[in-house]
Amino acid sequence: MSAEPLAPATGDSPDDAADRQPHSPAEAESGGAGAGSTSGGAGSGGSGPGGSVWAGLRPLVLRLHFYAGVLVAPFLLVAAVTGLLYAGSFQAEKLVYAHELRVPVGDRELPISQQVAAARKAHPEGEISAVRPSPEDGATTRVLLSGVRGVDPDHTLAVFVDPYTGKVRGALEQYGSTGALPLRTWIDEFHRDLHLGQTGRLYSELAASWLWVIALGGVVLWLSRRRKKRTLRAVALPDRAATGRKRTMSFHGAVGLWVALGLLFLSATGLTWSTYAGANVEDLRTALGQTTPTVSATVGGGEHAGHHTGSGSMPGMDMGGTDEAAGHSADVGLDTVLAAARAKDLDNPVEIVPPAEPGSAYVLSQIQRSWPEKQDSVAVDPATGEVTDVQRFADYPVLAKLTRWGIDLHTGNLFGLVNQIALAALALALILLIVWGYRMWWQRGRASAFGRPIPRGAWRRVPLYILVPLAAATAVIGYYLPLLGIPLATFLAVDIVAGEIARRRGATPAI
């Protein structure tokens, strides 16, 4: 998800003159753009924070805020709307798939091996990639099958079994480690890539890359505009007495200030698993030794092997007995394996992944993402039922923990319903900010036209000792966030060409 810029509100500052002269250069320096920003011109910023430095920086921040908001806002709007839908998909999923997910509570649960046998009898196709025992009273057990005809290769077929009777309640496609079913999967993919695959992911990365820039710029502009009104109400609450553009600005700025921290969080966490910026983040974590550890699935020592949930299982495995077709020796079975994990304090919910190949172990992992998270995992020797390796979430490196928490908070899992309500509120606020931003731009114009854009040449006002390190920092950030750097470089190139054309035509020099 992403956000619209945060803009100034009512005006009793020198910026008010801009409202009365909507087509003057002064107004362009103070008027709200589609990004929803505005503030006083550089001259009026001299008394603001930083004195002359801020007077030089303010026009540059305003220009960047304006154009970034105008050009990125459509992407942010799509991310906000789809994010709002996703926030509600958790509860919708419980209603739509209630028959598969819930059953009457019985007296005693059947052994997990019997439940798996019932699922395989109803759905003999494919391979067992994982089993998720009933996590609580009244919840079904999921047996996950991969390689099933007609099921997306990146998904599994989840067979839902009544743990008390062994009756199969149905089967649905499942995606991801959070167990998303078709409805939530569709909305999730719509939010992530618009169902356009890898190419579609560029839209969300673009939005996340620019969100923090727009939000931070808006906060700075808003606070500097309100510098003469230092009361909490003037800064944090809209002015209901204002009218016209001032009223729109007031709501845009106040709401934007309230949600700024949440928008910055969404930007940062969204980038951690984006295509290009996410790869850079992963490289940095690797260099710092902060990658997420995995339990070793190798039986009898050997190299520490990575484990990937959903990888294939042994063909024909019956989860307890000899698999003669595949030539594998008998193992202790699911019930013994699960008991071994319970002895290591792996309580519900857990996922059991069978050995991927001869010489490997069962891997049992806790899969609860809500607070407090349960992310411990163990490996169990299929021949002896002994635990061969243990990985505790408490032992994760700091950045690995922060990444896990950040993703789970971003996706609405960490605090359950409260988390999802907060995400929905952020998405709704973002939609309103975008609408208010464009409305301000419209209200600043005349004769049913949008207001004039911010004039060129703002960088000339920035002191050289600020401009040089600022340009260097921008280049570094743009390198690591390519969907910030490439559009910014493109804009600068177009801007330079447009300025040169205007100069040759004898247009008024940019201020």
Side-chain angles (χ1 to χ4, degrees):
M1 273 188 289
S2 321
E4 179 63 336
L6 317 172
T10 64
D12 59 348
S13 70
D15 302 327
D16 288 343
D19 293 325
R20 298 188 293 270
Q21 300 176 1
H23 285 292
S24 68
E27 180 217 32
E29 297 255 350
S30 68
S37 74
T38 112
S39 291
S44 68
S47 60
S52 60
V53 173
W54 176 242
L57 276 175
R58 182 166 186 158
L60 184 62
V61 174
L62 183 62
R63 181 169 167 78
L64 178 63
H65 187 63
F66 175 91
Y67 280 106
V70 169
L71 300 176
V72 178
F75 299 97
L76 305 183
L77 183 60
V78 172
V81 172
T82 56
L84 180 61
L85 291 175
Y86 182 76
S89 67
F90 290 87
Q91 304 307 314
E93 184 177 73
K94 294 178 181 179
L95 296 175
V96 173
Y97 305 116
H99 178 76
E100 289 82 4
L101 295 173
R102 306 299 302 181
V103 295
V105 178
D107 296 330
R108 182 179 63 87
E109 291 187 7
L110 298 174
I112 192 66
S113 57
Q114 292 186 28
Q115 298 179 48
V116 172
R120 291 302 275 161
K121 183 177 180 180
H123 294 273
E125 72 278 23
E127 301 173 356
I128 298 175
S129 58
V131 178
R132 295 187 172 188
S134 171
E136 61 185 8
D137 292 342
T140 52
T141 291
R142 299 191 194 190
V143 179
L144 306 182
L145 306 176
S146 61
V148 177
R149 184 170 53 187
V151 175
D152 189 306
D154 293 330
H155 299 176
T156 56
L157 181 68
V159 182
F160 298 86
V161 182
D162 185 331
Y164 307 104
T165 66
K167 180 181 178 181
V168 173
R169 303 278 291 183
L172 298 166
E173 282 195 40
Q174 175 176 305
Y175 171 74
S177 58
T178 61
L181 298 178
L183 175 63
R184 181 152 59 98
T185 298
W186 191 92
I187 296 175
D188 175 41
E189 292 177 349
F190 189 33
H191 176 65
R192 185 173 65 248
D193 59 23
L194 303 179
H195 293 285
L196 297 176
Q198 192 64 29
T199 301
R201 293 189 66 180
L202 298 180
Y203 111 85
S204 56
E205 184 168 352
L206 176 69
S209 296
W210 280 93
L211 169 58
W212 67 274
V213 177
I214 298 171
L216 280 180
V219 167
V220 172
L221 291 170
W222 168 259
L223 294 178
S224 68
R225 181 183 177 89
R226 310 301 289 167
R227 62 186 178 275
K228 290 186 178 181
K229 289 189 172 184
R230 298 188 180 277
T231 65
L232 178 62
R233 188 191 186 288
V235 174
L237 298 177
D239 185 357
R240 296 180 178 275
T243 59
R245 188 169 73 91
K246 291 181 182 180
R247 181 179 176 86
T248 306
M249 291 168 63
S250 176
F251 277 89
H252 180 89
V255 172
L257 188 66
W258 276 101
V259 301
L261 189 60
L263 298 179
L264 292 176
F265 168 80
L266 291 178
S267 174
T269 53
L271 288 172
T272 60
W273 72 90
S274 60
T275 301
Y276 298 106
N280 290 329
V281 171
E282 186 63 27
D283 290 343
L284 176 62
R285 289 178 56 198
T286 300
L288 296 175
Q290 295 286 307
T291 56
T292 301
T294 55
V295 68
S296 174
T298 302
V299 176
E303 294 296 324
H304 190 74
H307 160 60
H308 300 279
T309 299
S311 59
S313 65
M314 295 164 60
M317 170 169 283
D318 63 1
M319 296 298 186
T322 301
D323 182 3
E324 297 177 356
H328 300 144
S329 61
D331 63 43
V332 295
L334 276 178
D335 301 308
T336 301
V337 167
L338 183 58
R342 300 296 194 206
K344 292 295 183 179
D345 298 324
L346 264 71
D347 54 356
N348 285 327
V350 297
E351 179 178 81
I352 308 169
V353 175
E357 58 187 14
S360 61
Y362 283 94
V363 173
L364 294 88
S365 305
Q366 291 179 310
I367 54 174
Q368 178 174 302
R369 297 294 180 79
S370 58
W371 189 269
E373 287 193 314
K374 298 179 180 180
Q375 296 290 305
D376 295 347
S377 57
V378 299
V380 180
D381 189 330
T384 65
E386 295 181 355
V387 173
T388 60
D389 192 22
V390 178
Q391 181 64 62
R392 301 294 184 186
F393 183 71
D395 298 329
Y396 279 24
V398 174
L399 289 184
K401 288 182 178 179
L402 292 177
T403 299
R404 179 74 273 154
W405 288 329
I407 291 176
D408 291 338
L409 190 59
H410 185 114
T411 55
N413 288 287
L414 192 58
F415 297 113
L417 181 59
V418 173
N419 195 166
Q420 294 149 24
I421 292 174
L423 288 177
L426 274 177
L428 183 59
L430 173 54
I431 294 170
L432 292 174
L433 288 171
I434 294 171
V435 173
W436 284 331
Y438 277 113
R439 179 169 173 76
M440 283 190 296
W441 190 21
W442 180 268
Q443 289 175 319
R444 193 163 57 86
R446 283 179 176 173
S448 299
F450 285 107
R452 293 178 63 181
I454 308 300
R456 300 178 65 251
W459 65 271
R460 300 169 190 255
R461 304 186 182 190
V462 182
L464 192 61
Y465 66 89
I466 296 294
L467 185 62
V468 172
L470 182 62
T474 301
V476 172
I477 293 173
Y479 175 81
Y480 286 102
L481 303 180
L483 288 192
L484 171 66
I486 293 174
L488 180 59
T490 301
F491 167 72
L492 290 175
V494 172
D495 196 45
I496 291 172
V497 171
E500 182 63 20
I501 293 175
R503 186 187 68 79
R504 293 188 178 186
R505 289 179 177 177
T508 302
I511 46 181

